[in-house]
Amino acid sequence: MSALAHPWQHGHDFHRQNESAERGTRAVLWITLVAMVLEITAGWWLGSMALLADGWHMSSHAAAIGVSALAYAASRRLKDDSRFAFGTWKIEVLGGFASALFLLGVAALMAVVSVQRLFEPQPIQFREAIGVAVLGLLVNVVCAVILGRAHQHGHEHSGHGRHDAHGHHHHHDDLNLRSAYLHVLADALTSVLAVVALIGGWVWGWVWLDPVMGLVGAVLVAIWARKLIADTSRVLLDREMDHPVVEEIREVIETLAKTAPVELVDLHVWRVARDAYACTLTVVTRDPGLTPNKVRQALAVHEELVHCTVEIHLEPNNHAG
């Protein structure tokens, strides 16, 4: 029997982590929806572009956080579906990718409307707008605390990542939870910028500061969205050949080569769960005693390798006798 585990053998802890993240995401979704309605209504009534940007931004975040919650629910419902060869974790990554696209769209909308208001200033009721913006900021702080606790709860169940026999640490964030968290942080940022802009306009008459802060927020949100898109697409497109585990596999084969003539000629590695990888590899050897099971046993020192397919080619002169 192979010394390597299958990713679904670790499913109990994995889904316990997801339960906490799903509950936190749902709570944040409802809080965000209430705050969204308040800020959009107040922004139109009071004439604040920064406040409107915050509200619109929050509305798209509500949709994106809803996608994250839906991804958790789908992953949970389909966890026993045998059609998913390596489990349903990538549903969550797909949810994170979709949320990142929402975030990028919000940044574009904020930039366009802010530029428009920069050239066509609108009257603002500063005192009331500041009060609503501060309320939005407080809502975002509460949401950030909820998601932060869910993230910490997941770390406690996961043992803070995997360690292999050489003491190397392997841990990957919950990309779906991180996408929801980034949406909350982006909301908090736009709330802070709105407060700053409104105070500047109220005290010193700097009406132009309101749309300028909207542009600053748009740039920062776009940067966050780009990073999340890169991280999630890396998983979805199986771009993992620069991960440390790849070099660790090569080191294992090099260690085997010290006792038998072995050469690694083909290797493919991809992630199948948050901290779990699968690989296929082909080796050429003159040792007829080297079996795929021996190679898998040697690779088993790296706990993050949960599924491994090994192909061995014997050199022609080893077939005789």
Side-chain angles (χ1 to χ4, degrees), residues 28 32 57 61 65 103 139-145 147 178-190 224:
V28 167
T32 303
H57 190 199
H61 286 336
I65 293 170
L103 200 60
V139 168
N140 291 321
V141 170
V142 171
C143 291
V145 170
L147 293 180
R178 200 214 306 175
S179 70
Y181 191 65
L182 278 181
H183 280 280
V184 169
L185 287 183
D187 272 338
L189 170 68
T190 52
W224 291 346

Side-chain angles (χ1 to χ4, degrees), residues 34-49:
V34 172
M36 171 200 77
V37 172
L38 176 62
E39 287 209 336
I40 291 178
T41 302
W44 279 111
W45 183 261
L46 302 173
S48 167
M49 183 55 232

Side-chain angles (χ1 to χ4, degrees), residues 135-299:
L135 178 60
L137 177 59
L138 293 176
V139 168
N140 291 321
V141 170
V142 171
C143 291
V145 170
I146 292 173
L147 293 180
R149 287 180 177 175
H151 178 69
Q152 181 62 34
H153 189 264
H155 271 240
E156 291 170 356
H157 280 300
S158 64
H160 303 279
R162 293 177 180 268
H163 290 81
D164 59 30
H166 301 293
H168 296 145
H169 180 267
H170 299 277
H171 174 76
H172 292 280
D173 287 335
D174 181 337
L175 293 173
N176 194 38
L177 184 62
R178 200 214 306 175
S179 70
Y181 191 65
L182 278 181
H183 280 280
V184 169
L185 287 183
D187 272 338
L189 170 68
T190 52
S191 294
V192 170
L193 294 178
V195 170
V196 172
L198 291 167
I199 290 177
W202 185 28
V203 176
W204 296 290
W206 296 346
V207 180
W208 52 267
L209 191 59
D210 188 74
V212 167
M213 285 300 185
L215 286 173
V216 172
V219 171
L220 292 176
V221 170
I223 292 173
W224 291 346
R226 181 180 179 276
K227 178 66 165 60
L228 185 58
I229 288 173
D231 289 344
T232 52
S233 60
R234 174 191 181 97
V235 175
L236 294 173
L237 298 175
D238 296 322
R239 188 174 66 84
E240 299 287 352
M241 291 304 292
D242 57 348
H243 190 274
V245 72
V246 176
E247 186 58 34
E248 290 167 0
I249 293 172
R250 297 185 188 277
E251 291 173 358
V252 168
I253 302 304
E254 290 173 2
T255 300
L256 290 175
K258 294 178 181 179
T259 57
V262 179
E263 180 184 0
L264 180 64
V265 296
D266 190 44
L267 175 62
H268 300 277
V269 178
W270 65 100
R271 202 187 311 181
V272 295
R274 195 167 300 149
D275 297 306
Y277 293 79
C279 72
T280 63
L281 59 94
T282 302
V283 298
V284 174
T285 181
R286 294 192 299 274
D287 179 10
L290 183 67
T291 65
N293 195 49
K294 287 184 178 180
V295 176
R296 283 193 290 267
Q297 288 176 344
L299 291 170

